[in-house]
Amino acid sequence: MLKRLVLLFAMLAMANAVTLRKWIASHEKTCYFATADSPGKKIAFYFAVHQGGNFDIDFEVEGPNNRQLFKGEAERQGDFVFTATQVGEYAFCFKNGLASFADKLVEFDITLEDEARPEDIAKRTKRDEVMNSVVTIASDLQQITKFMKYFRMRENRNFATVSSTESRIWWFSALDSLCVVLVAVIQVYAIRALFTAKRSRL
């Protein structure tokens, strides 16, 4: 059992992953970088907007020599996996567009790992059952982590929607109550003015 746990943690340590949460102010652009020290590295990039505005943001992924790899506008979330064909620095940028006036909370994950080579795949077929189980568990854990991030994002968005709806209902109720009071006051003064006019005629 201890051997399996050691192998599991060893498999999880093979990938360099960074998960961050960042508030991005209105009209702000911020970039994060990952360095591929050899060609063939597999880079995974995930992001999701948790709070702010319409839950959307502009993003851009650039490779070495400012070569654009991915770009999107007003995206709520994204999940990309690509192979670093060049050695160098890869930039992952977020921009809170000019049309937005709200700060936004973005959670993103950058994972850098070695891509499987044909010879590695051939070696995997010769692994024992323990190692195959460890690989399966590691893959399942990564999938569970993605699901957890997705459901947390949905929870934050739904909570923001509920809060917004609650605020609107409160203001609508206050305005409705004010209108009722105003109409009642107007009716009282109108009836009073009517009886006052009749008395003056008499």
Side-chain angles (χ1 to χ4, degrees), residues 157-170:
R157 290 181 183 173
N158 292 337
F159 180 78
T161 302
V162 170
S163 299
S164 175
T165 304
E166 181 182 10
S167 176
R168 293 177 183 178
I169 291 175
W170 190 91

Side-chain angles (χ1 to χ4, degrees), residues 10 33 39 55 61 63 65 68 73 91 118 127 146 148 154 162-163 200:
F33 302 89
F55 300 95
V61 180
N65 303 322
Q68 189 178 92
E73 295 182 356
R127 289 175 179 165
K146 284 190 175 182
M148 290 178 64
R154 291 297 301 270
V162 170
S163 299
S200 60

Side-chain angles (χ1 to χ4, degrees), residues 111-151:
T111 305
L112 182 65
E113 59 184 5
D114 290 322
E115 188 173 19
R117 301 292 195 280
E119 55 270 19
D120 296 332
I121 297 175
K123 291 179 181 178
R124 288 178 184 176
T125 59
K126 301 178 182 178
R127 289 175 179 165
D128 57 9
E129 294 182 1
V130 175
M131 196 60 185
N132 289 334
S133 299
V134 169
V135 173
T136 303
I137 292 173
S139 177
D140 291 343
L141 284 176
Q142 291 180 354
Q143 194 68 22
I144 291 173
T145 302
K146 284 190 175 182
F147 279 127
M148 290 178 64
K149 290 179 181 178
Y150 173 76
F151 286 122

Side-chain angles (χ1 to χ4, degrees), residues 4 7 34 38 54-55 62 67 75-76 78 82-83 88 110 117 125 144 151 162 174 188 191:
R4 293 191 177 189
L7 289 174
S38 62
N54 293 324
F55 300 95
E62 292 184 351
R67 185 169 60 92
E75 297 287 345
R76 293 190 169 189
F82 63 95
T83 301
I110 301 172
R117 301 292 195 280
T125 59
I144 291 173
F151 286 122
V162 170
V188 168
I191 294 174

Side-chain angles (χ1 to χ4, degrees), residues 80-99:
F80 307 93
V81 179
F82 63 95
T83 301
T85 57
Q86 294 179 323
V87 176
E89 211 168 45
Y90 289 78
F92 305 85
C93 300
F94 299 101
K95 184 178 180 181
N96 201 353
L98 297 176

Side-chain angles (χ1 to χ4, degrees), residues 27-45:
H27 304 167
E28 178 187 357
K29 181 178 180 180
T30 181
C31 295
Y32 296 85
F33 302 89
T35 302
D37 53 7
S38 62
K41 292 278 188 178
K42 186 168 63 174
I43 301 178
F45 174 51

